[in-house]
Amino acid sequence: MNPEKKLTLNKITLNRPLQKIGLPPKITLNKQLASRPQSSKIDIQSVNINWLVDNIQQENKLEWIQKCYVFFKDWTQNTECNDQGKEQILKQSVQLLDYNDLQVRLYAIKAALFGFTTLNLLELLFQKQAKPLLRRPKSGSKIQEQLPSLLYQPQQVLAILQKTAQLSNENVFVNLINDNSLSFVLFRILKLFTQLPKDQPTTLQQLPYLNLIFIIIKNIANNQKEAQKLLQPTYIQLIDTYLHTFPFDQTYEKDLLNLYTTITATLRNLANENNSVEMYLQNGIIKKLVISMVSYSNNYELILNTLRIMSRMSLSKECCEYFLQSTEAMQNISSFFKTYQTNIYIIIRASFLLANMTTYFEGIRQLIYYKFNQFGDILKCFDYYWAKEIAPQQLNQIDQFSQSKAAWDFQILQSEKDIDALIRIIRLIANILTIEQIGLDILKNYSNEYRILISKLLKLLQKNTAISKQQEIISCTLSCLSNLTFYEKQTFLNDFEYKNVKFELINTLGHFIIQNEDQEICCDGLRVLSNLSRQKDLIKQIMKSRISEGVIVLLDSNSREVVYYCLGVILNLLQDSEFKKKENINIIDYITQVLNDCTTNENDIANLGLKCLILLLDSNLNSEYATKIEKAVQSFGNVCDQVLKVKENNELSNTRQLINQIINNIPEEGFPCMQPNCGRILKTQKELQDHINRRHKL
């Protein structure tokens, strides 16, 4: 029997190599919900301008600044306002930015930012002339007044944003955020900035403000409750407005790249939330991620952020369809296995992304192998991390990431090991090998690399034997071996070293098959063994290792998948006369029990069992076992007949034909000759005696 190559998303498909979809989020974006700070809301009573001015020096700074914040937040409702009073409380708010109480500082930041947005902020920041104040008096008309104080200099707003950015990187500070007001005022500023032209001088001037604002938003998004509030169309559309929209200019190239890096870091944090995929699809973010891959593939930090988002999004087939529309983006990602080979953080995410995409779409598998010609680089990348895992050593390459500006979450990424990269690369290789044309091409034109890959995968299995602790690397390695060995119908002639590798692999498989810790690993091991059992020169080794005895016992498993793959192995082994002669009685006992337990919904298992019995019919069965076979197949045949009377079923019709074949070929009851190496069965006792006198008595 030729076992399947492993599947995409559904469980069993005969005669196709299997591909493993990436295991969900735990490897993609390092989501750590438990470590995220939570928040609670506080109600603050509003006051008028007179109270704020009169109590500007009061000792309870928290009470004063909270009320000041509410005053500026509800500015349009404060129709009576003395401009001098406003200037006083705004100055005091700015001064409290350096107060020793963290909560006071938070409210001072919010009060100051809301205060400045009551001005004509664009005029304030981007014009050298007057800074008019906008307010709404009772009459509803707008009055502009000049406030000549040095308080209203652009440097003041920049300083507030700088201090906020520094504080927002502290978990204690983010934990104090009790509503979405800080995010609200930041997005209000972003909305104002969209009115600015995209010319070179204006862009150069606004980039520092934008970068600081997005740094703050990125850090706020690391708070679970705040992140949920940010995931709404208005905010995501504003973020989209600033990503990859400015014209490129060498004058501000560095600042622009810093901005895009910070925006993608913000989106990366928001991508941890459950509804992020839908929100990014609906609001254009997915297309912007593709632009990052096409236009900025050489910018390490921007690419890392983008890959972290894309790997999370790749769990959605719809997102993968968007990614696949850009061949250039896919080629750039595929090239990372060469350009970023020693960078574990890039490699983990690139291989995870492509493994998921190759699960959904056959086209990307062919692109990687044929058009991009990147399979060789993927193998070299595998070799690099395989060497580090099998023989750890201090390499010359030093990852500069820990010294970069994006190192704020480096400690999170440090938990990722070489084995994590190996798992994802192996999964990608296994998926690419599901294309039969590719598998045959590798076997024909890259036979040496093929054999080396099998031997290295074997060593991984031999090192990682703790099934409960190392399930993922074991399962991926076995799946890849299953897909590789699917294409090899016979061992390479005169390659005794490779034949020994196969013998060693057979011996190693027993540990993963004959166990009850993990059924999936058992099935993965059986797929590999089923492929190997097609080669006659390996059947002897399978019998010698006694793994075949274990496979027969596993027919008693409660798992239909385990029973199915065991029958596949046995069907191949029964091609060997020695195995058939040695194990026939034992196998019949188990297979007839399997048939007795089968329903018509499990005719795939029944068919394999029936094919095994057909091969056993010529093994000189005694009457007891012939009767046992006949009884089991007739019982299952009656069940099939009942279903076929109701409706046509091609699969059950084929099963019925196998049953008829067995019944017609069951030998009639007779008298076997017990002389050594004879095996003749005679119809009567007299014929038996005549046979003995004629053949065995001299």
Side-chain angles (χ1 to χ4, degrees):
M1 172 201 176
N2 292 345
E4 68 184 281
K5 308 175 194 173
K6 216 171 177 185
L7 326 169
T8 55
L9 298 174
N10 299 317
K11 193 59 184 169
I12 297 178
T13 300
L14 284 174
N15 301 319
R16 299 303 306 159
L18 158 147
Q19 52 199 26
K20 300 237 343 165
I21 187 169
L23 298 179
K26 72 176 183 181
I27 332 160
T28 54
L29 298 175
N30 301 295
K31 186 174 183 180
Q32 296 180 338
L33 293 180
S35 66
R36 281 182 160 186
Q38 305 297 315
S39 57
S40 58
K41 191 171 182 178
I42 300 175
D43 291 327
I44 304 169
Q45 299 298 320
S46 60
V47 296
N48 59 35
I49 185 69
N50 295 328
W51 187 93
L52 291 171
V53 173
D54 293 343
N55 293 275
I56 202 167
Q57 297 300 328
Q58 75 168 30
E59 291 186 8
N60 190 341
K61 299 299 183 187
L62 180 58
E63 179 188 13
W64 185 88
I65 195 62
Q66 284 177 336
K67 294 182 182 299
C68 183
Y69 146 70
V70 172
F71 173 81
F72 282 126
K73 182 173 178 286
D74 299 331
W75 171 250
T76 57
Q77 300 177 21
N78 294 290
T79 55
E80 295 294 339
C81 179
N82 179 284
D83 298 324
Q84 185 177 2
K86 176 180 176 179
E87 183 174 354
Q88 281 183 279
I89 62 175
L90 190 51
K91 277 186 177 181
Q92 179 66 3
S93 299
V94 173
Q95 290 174 5
L96 290 176
L97 290 172
D98 297 317
Y99 196 72
N100 57 10
D101 184 282
L102 196 57
Q103 198 166 8
V104 171
R105 292 162 75 181
L106 170 62
Y107 279 99
I109 287 169
K110 294 196 289 187
L113 288 175
F114 271 106
F116 274 106
T117 56
T118 63
L119 301 169
N120 188 331
L121 191 63
L122 299 184
E123 289 289 330
L124 168 66
L125 298 181
F126 302 105
Q127 300 294 332
K128 296 181 180 180
Q129 303 300 323
K131 299 87 185 175
L133 170 69
L134 293 181
R135 65 183 176 86
R136 187 174 299 166
K138 286 182 179 179
S139 62
S141 62
K142 293 184 178 180
I143 301 174
Q144 291 190 343
E145 300 177 4
Q146 300 299 317
L147 295 177
S149 168
L150 291 178
L151 169 69
Y152 304 109
Q153 296 297 318
Q155 292 82 355
Q156 286 285 1
V157 178
L158 196 63
I160 294 171
L161 292 174
Q162 288 170 338
K163 291 179 180 180
T164 308
Q166 292 171 1
L167 287 173
S168 67
N169 202 28
E170 301 178 14
N171 281 339
V172 178
F173 175 83
V174 177
N175 195 35
L176 290 173
I177 298 174
N178 50 50
D179 55 31
N180 65 340
S181 55
L182 181 55
S183 303
F184 177 81
V185 70
L186 292 171
F187 277 100
R188 177 186 284 185
I189 295 172
L190 289 177
K191 183 68 174 177
L192 285 172
F193 276 33
T194 59
Q195 302 173 27
L196 294 171
K198 293 289 194 296
D199 59 87
Q200 191 263 0
T202 308
T203 300
L204 179 63
Q205 196 174 357
Q206 67 173 310
L207 283 176
Y209 296 96
L210 292 173
N211 199 26
L212 288 169
I213 289 171
F214 275 107
I215 286 174
I216 301 166
I217 296 173
K218 174 200 72 177
N219 293 339
I220 291 174
N222 204 36
N223 177 291
Q224 184 181 2
K225 287 189 176 180
E226 293 300 313
Q228 282 290 347
K229 296 170 187 175
L230 294 177
L231 270 175
Q232 53 179 288
T234 304
Y235 289 165
I236 299 301
Q237 288 166 13
L238 262 177
I239 294 174
D240 176 69
T241 300
Y242 287 98
L243 184 58
H244 304 314
T245 55
F246 293 97
F248 181 80
D249 192 296
Q250 290 185 345
T251 309
Y252 51 74
E253 177 184 5
K254 184 177 180 181
D255 288 339
L256 186 61
L257 288 176
N258 286 340
L259 174 64
Y260 291 161
T261 300
T262 308
I263 293 176
T264 52
T266 303
L267 292 168
R268 178 200 63 211
N269 284 353
L270 293 175
N272 284 321
E273 305 307 318
N274 292 332
N275 59 332
S276 60
V277 173
E278 180 183 359
M279 198 61 63
Y280 286 7
L281 275 169
Q282 292 176 354
N283 296 285
I285 298 298
I286 300 298
K287 295 179 181 179
K288 293 296 180 69
L289 298 177
V290 172
I291 293 175
S292 290
M293 283 300 163
V294 171
S295 303
Y296 301 97
S297 61
N298 294 323
N299 186 283
Y300 169 58
E301 294 173 12
L302 178 57
I303 284 302
L304 179 58
N305 286 336
T306 305
L307 276 175
R308 291 178 74 178
I309 304 167
M310 292 178 74
S311 59
R312 173 69 174 86
M313 299 295 109
S314 68
L315 295 171
S316 161
K317 184 177 181 179
E318 191 175 355
C319 289
C320 289
E321 283 183 303
Y322 273 102
F323 299 152
L324 194 55
Q325 289 174 9
S326 174
T327 304
E328 188 176 357
M330 291 299 99
Q331 184 163 12
N332 286 343
I333 295 172
S334 301
S335 71
F336 293 162
F337 291 95
K338 181 177 181 179
T339 56
Y340 290 107
Q341 182 191 88
T342 63
N343 189 306
I344 187 173
Y345 314 112
I346 293 285
I347 295 303
I348 282 178
R349 282 151 187 88
S351 51
F352 184 87
L353 168 64
L354 292 178
N356 287 349
M357 293 188 67
T358 52
T359 295
Y360 290 120
F361 303 108
E362 180 178 319
I364 184 64
R365 303 173 221 162
Q366 297 186 355
L367 282 175
I368 292 171
Y369 189 84
Y370 292 110
K371 185 170 183 177
F372 302 158
N373 195 27
Q374 296 289 348
F375 190 74
D377 291 330
I378 294 173
L379 285 182
K380 290 176 183 177
C381 194
F382 164 82
D383 291 341
Y384 174 80
Y385 288 100
W386 178 88
K388 293 184 71 179
E389 173 66 16
I390 296 297
Q393 56 184 345
Q394 197 71 22
L395 298 180
N396 295 327
Q397 294 91 341
I398 299 176
D399 189 353
Q400 298 297 320
F401 177 70
S402 59
Q403 305 170 14
S404 73
K405 293 181 180 179
W408 65 275
D409 63 346
F410 180 59
Q411 289 183 345
I412 295 176
L413 295 178
Q414 274 187 315
S415 63
E416 295 171 342
K417 307 298 182 184
D418 297 322
I419 193 71
D420 296 316
L422 266 178
I423 289 169
R424 284 137 193 85
I425 297 170
I426 292 170
R427 182 178 289 121
L428 174 59
I429 292 172
N431 283 0
I432 293 173
L433 287 168
T434 57
I435 302 294
E436 187 168 1
Q437 185 181 358
I438 293 175
L440 294 175
D441 184 70
I442 293 172
L443 190 65
K444 179 180 178 181
N445 299 316
Y446 304 95
S447 59
N448 189 51
E449 289 82 354
Y450 171 90
R451 285 174 279 187
I452 291 173
L453 180 57
I454 286 182
S455 65
K456 288 185 174 181
L457 291 172
L458 168 61
K459 290 190 181 298
L460 277 179
L461 284 180
Q462 292 171 332
K463 181 176 181 181
N464 299 280
T465 57
I467 293 174
S468 59
K469 295 180 180 179
Q470 298 166 312
Q471 189 272 347
E472 196 172 5
I473 181 64
I474 294 170
S475 181
C476 288
T477 303
L478 287 172
S479 296
C480 193
L481 279 168
S482 174
N483 291 356
L484 274 168
T485 55
F486 176 83
Y487 300 103
E488 187 181 350
K489 301 298 189 297
Q490 60 182 19
T491 306
F492 291 92
L493 299 176
N494 303 321
D495 191 338
F496 298 105
E497 182 180 351
Y498 179 59
K499 186 176 289 189
N500 287 333
V501 169
K502 290 289 191 66
F503 288 172
E504 205 173 340
L505 175 57
I506 290 170
N507 295 333
T508 303
L509 286 174
H511 171 75
F512 302 104
I513 293 174
I514 316 301
Q515 49 86 20
N516 56 10
E517 292 182 64
D518 192 299
Q519 288 184 356
E520 183 180 354
I521 284 179
C522 176
C523 290
D524 289 336
L526 286 168
R527 290 185 188 99
V528 181
L529 186 64
S530 185
N531 287 340
L532 297 176
S533 63
R534 294 175 303 170
Q535 301 173 30
K536 292 183 179 180
D537 53 345
L538 296 181
I539 292 180
K540 305 299 182 186
Q541 182 63 25
I542 293 173
M543 293 175 63
K544 183 179 178 181
S545 69
R546 303 189 67 181
I547 191 174
S548 55
E549 298 175 22
V551 171
I552 295 172
V553 173
L554 281 174
L555 288 174
D556 198 32
S557 170
N558 292 326
S559 167
R560 69 178 306 278
E561 287 83 9
V562 170
V563 173
Y564 176 82
Y565 292 117
C566 285
L567 287 170
V569 174
I570 292 170
L571 184 61
N572 289 342
L573 293 176
L574 284 172
Q575 308 296 327
D576 182 84
S577 58
E578 184 179 342
F579 174 80
K580 185 192 302 184
K581 184 176 180 180
K582 179 182 178 183
E583 301 288 354
N584 62 347
I585 301 301
N586 201 13
I587 294 173
I588 289 171
D589 284 332
Y590 280 100
I591 292 181
T592 52
Q593 185 58 50
V594 168
L595 284 176
N596 290 333
D597 294 337
C598 273
T599 68
T600 53
N601 293 327
E602 298 171 316
N603 62 303
D604 54 342
I605 293 178
N607 285 348
L608 284 178
L610 293 169
K611 290 176 181 178
C612 290
L613 291 178
I614 289 173
L615 293 176
L616 288 166
L617 289 178
D618 62 350
S619 56
N620 297 320
L621 297 177
N622 61 36
S623 59
E624 177 186 352
Y625 280 92
T627 302
K628 178 177 284 192
I629 292 174
E630 185 174 15
K631 183 178 179 181
V633 297
Q634 282 185 342
S635 176
F636 190 70
N638 292 335
V639 174
C640 294
D641 291 339
Q642 292 175 7
V643 176
L644 291 171
K645 286 179 182 179
V646 178
K647 60 178 180 180
E648 292 186 7
N649 186 310
N650 291 334
E651 292 182 357
L652 280 184
S653 296
N654 294 334
T655 303
R656 179 72 247 194
Q657 291 178 9
L658 291 173
I659 292 171
N660 293 340
Q661 184 179 348
I662 292 174
I663 293 174
N664 293 333
N665 287 281
I666 290 178
E668 296 179 1
E669 185 176 355
F671 298 87
C673 177
M674 306 305 293
Q675 296 296 322
N677 301 318
C678 181
R680 287 286 304 277
I681 299 177
L682 289 304
K683 292 183 178 180
T684 65
Q685 183 68 42
K686 183 179 183 305
E687 289 180 354
L688 173 62
Q689 189 59 50
D690 292 343
H691 163 76
I692 293 173
N693 292 336
R694 185 175 63 255
R695 294 289 186 184
H696 301 296
K697 287 186 177 181
L698 299 176

